[in-house]
Amino acid sequence: MQQLRDLCDRHDILLICDDIQVGCGRTGPFFSFERANIVPDMVILSKSISGYGFPMSLLLLKPELDIWEPGEHTGTFRGNQLAFVGAAAALEYRENIRLEPEVQVKEFLLKKFLAEEIAPISPKIEIRGIGLIWGIDLVKFGGASFAKKVTSRCFELGLIVERVGRNDTVLKILPPLTIEWPILKKGCQILKQALSDCLNS
């Protein structure tokens, strides 16, 4: 990221960070790029920025890049009053419950579980992630059919898991940042059981 920032600076290119899915505390800090110690020229926020699933998106940009007149920069996800109220309440709630350290503790639990309980199931499993966004890559199991089988088994056991990545072979772990400990632990156990069931069937 720092090399990219330097490249953009040298060639007068705008650096735009897409924090639609990984921002708003998903990786721990509010912005996902904070750990890289860079300042983007623009940042895109959406999804959880509204606090309650209402349609809302934001474009943050350096003041010198703001060339629009009032009302000129319009779009579908702007101007929803209820979303503004929800976003303000979510930001206040984030501070009140100290969400960032809470996410870091949950990250530690999830990372430990994936390393100690999921990875040993098979050497073909690859795991990557940060904060509360993780992927279990099952591409080495012969394609999307095995990943689909695992997500179907998860659903039967009471857990919804999405498939993403190359040919939908990656199980995406994306729990709510405010998820309660017992629910997170139960979800982890269901995931482990589903993987084991599918490998042994």
Side-chain angles (χ1 to χ4, degrees):
M1 290 289 285
Q2 291 175 353
Q3 290 175 341
L4 185 59
R5 174 72 275 180
D6 180 61
L7 177 73
C8 290
D9 289 340
R10 284 188 282 115
H11 296 280
D12 197 26
I13 300 170
L14 296 179
L15 177 59
I16 304 171
C17 284
D18 179 352
D19 253 14
I20 288 175
Q21 183 162 236
V22 294
C24 302
R26 174 60 57 184
T27 62
F30 189 82
F31 296 110
S32 66
F33 52 82
E34 288 184 50
R35 68 188 188 279
N37 197 29
I38 63 158
V39 178
D41 299 300
M42 297 183 182
V43 181
I44 307 164
L45 294 171
S46 189
K47 295 192 177 181
S48 38
I49 189 62
S50 74
Y52 201 69
F54 296 118
M56 185 175 185
S57 66
L58 298 176
L59 173 63
L60 309 178
L61 66 164
K62 291 180 175 177
E64 61 268 26
L65 299 175
D66 187 2
I67 60 173
W68 287 287
E69 297 297 327
E72 188 177 8
H73 184 220
T74 60
T76 308
F77 285 65
R78 296 163 187 82
N80 185 307
Q81 298 299 320
L82 190 54
F84 292 160
V85 173
L91 290 172
E92 183 179 339
Y93 182 72
R94 171 189 168 80
E95 293 303 314
N96 289 343
I97 68 165
R98 301 184 72 246
L99 185 63
E100 186 172 330
E102 183 74 12
V103 169
Q104 291 171 345
V105 172
K106 289 172 183 172
E107 174 191 26
F108 176 79
L109 172 79
L110 194 51
K111 186 176 181 179
K112 188 173 188 292
F113 176 82
L114 292 170
E116 296 178 2
E117 302 290 333
I118 299 298
I121 293 175
S122 170
K124 293 181 180 180
I125 295 174
E126 294 182 11
I127 296 169
R128 56 186 174 271
I130 190 171
L132 287 182
I133 178 167
W134 289 82
I136 301 174
D137 197 335
L138 304 176
V139 70
K140 293 180 180 177
F141 288 89
S145 59
F146 182 73
K148 184 176 182 180
K149 185 177 177 182
V150 175
T151 57
S152 296
R153 182 60 180 145
C154 283
F155 186 76
E156 291 170 0
L157 296 170
L159 177 66
I160 297 174
V161 178
E162 185 180 5
R163 292 183 297 132
V164 296
R166 300 180 305 277
N167 301 315
D168 287 337
T169 57
V170 180
L171 306 182
K172 182 166 74 172
I173 303 173
L174 197 76
L177 303 185
T178 55
I179 191 170
E180 297 171 356
W181 286 103
I183 298 174
L184 180 59
K185 290 175 182 176
K186 182 178 179 181
C188 287
Q189 291 302 325
I190 290 175
L191 189 58
K192 180 182 178 181
Q193 182 181 339
L195 272 166
S196 298
D197 289 353
C198 291
L199 282 170
N200 295 325
S201 63

